[in-house]
Amino acid sequence: MRVNRILLSSALIVVALVVQVSVLARLHLPGAVPDLLLLTVLGLALVYGHVGGALVGFAAGLLADLAPPADHAAGRYALVLCVIGYLAGLAKPENGRLKSATGPMVVVAAAAIGTTLLYAGVGALVGDTAARHVGLPSLLFTAALYDLLLAPFVVPGIMALARRADNDPLAEAGSTAKSADISSGWLSSGTGLKIGGQRGGLGGLKTKTRTRTGRVGRIKGVKRL
C-alpha cells in the first residue's frame, strides 16, 4: 500500500475505534452496537479494492482486539474484518465512481450480517457462547439496522477522503511529462519529419529549395541567350 493510504487508513481507524468505544458503546442500544469501525473498513475497501480492504480490515480488527475493554481472544475480530474487507473490496466499481447508493447500502447490510455471523461462528469454535444467550436473530437485525442508518453519514465521506488521498500531484506531473514524450515521439515517427540535418528535415528542405532556384535561373539564362 502507498504511504498516503497507510497514513489515512491508520488515522481513520483510530478515530473510528475511539468514537465507537467512548460514544456508541455507551448508548446502551438494544441488541448490537453500531459498528463504526466496520463502516470505515467498508468505505476504504470500496476505494482500495480487495487487497487493500483485506489489509485495512486486518489492521482495524487487530487494533479492536487489543484495545480495552476487549473481552475476547486476540485475532478474532481481525480475522472477521479481514474477510469482510476482502469481500467488500470485490464490489469496488471499475471507474472508482458509484452510480447510485444502492450498491454500497447492500454491501453494508451484507457486511453487518456477515460480520455478526462470522464473529459468532469463530466464537463458537473457541468456546464463546455469548451470542446464544443474547439471541443471534436479534443481533443480526439490530446490527444491520444500526449500520444502515449510520452508513450514509460515514461511508461517502470515507470514500471521498480515500479518493483525494490517492491523487498524487507528483505522480500526475510525471505521467503528463511521459505522455508528452510519447506524443512527441509519435509525431516524429508517424510523419517522417525529423529536426536538424537529418533526412527529411529542415536541412533537406533548404537544399531542395536552393536546387530548384538554381535550375530556374539556368533555364532563364538559356532563354535570354
Side-chain angles (χ1 to χ4, degrees):
M1 293 181 68
R2 300 177 182 176
V3 177
N4 52 356
R5 288 188 175 186
I6 295 175
L7 295 177
L8 178 64
S9 301
S10 302
L12 292 176
I13 288 172
V14 171
V15 172
L17 183 61
V18 170
V19 173
Q20 181 170 335
V21 172
S22 61
V23 178
L24 298 179
R26 297 184 179 183
L27 295 178
H28 300 292
L29 296 174
V33 176
D35 201 340
L36 183 60
L37 193 63
L38 172 63
L39 297 179
T40 302
V41 172
L42 294 179
L44 294 174
L46 290 175
V47 177
Y48 296 159
H50 58 282
V51 177
L55 295 175
V56 171
F58 179 80
L62 185 61
L63 184 61
D65 289 333
L66 300 177
D71 56 352
H72 55 271
R76 179 177 171 184
Y77 202 47
L79 174 62
V80 173
L81 285 187
C82 180
V83 175
I84 295 299
Y86 179 86
L87 295 177
L90 296 176
K92 173 188 174 182
E94 296 181 357
N95 57 356
R97 299 290 179 180
L98 297 173
K99 297 181 179 179
S100 65
T102 305
M105 296 302 285
V106 172
V107 172
V108 170
I113 296 175
T115 301
T116 305
L117 290 176
L118 284 176
Y119 189 81
V122 175
L125 293 177
V126 297
D128 186 3
T129 59
R132 298 179 182 178
H133 301 289
V134 178
L136 187 58
S138 176
L139 286 177
L140 293 175
F141 176 76
T142 54
L145 178 62
Y146 296 154
D147 291 346
L148 285 174
L149 292 176
L150 192 60
F153 304 99
V154 178
V155 177
I158 297 295
M159 295 180 66
L161 289 175
R163 291 195 190 100
R164 178 173 295 183
D166 273 351
N167 293 331
D168 190 356
L170 296 179
E172 292 179 358
S175 62
T176 304
K178 185 177 181 181
S179 63
D181 294 339
I182 293 174
S183 61
S184 62
W186 176 81
L187 288 174
S188 61
S189 61
T191 57
L193 295 178
K194 295 184 179 180
I195 299 174
Q198 300 177 1
R199 183 183 61 186
L202 296 178
L205 292 176
K206 291 181 180 179
T207 304
K208 291 181 180 179
T209 303
R210 292 176 181 175
T211 304
R212 291 178 181 176
T213 305
R215 289 179 180 177
V216 172
R218 292 177 182 177
I219 294 174
K220 288 182 178 180
V222 173
K223 287 183 177 180
R224 288 179 182 178
L225 292 174

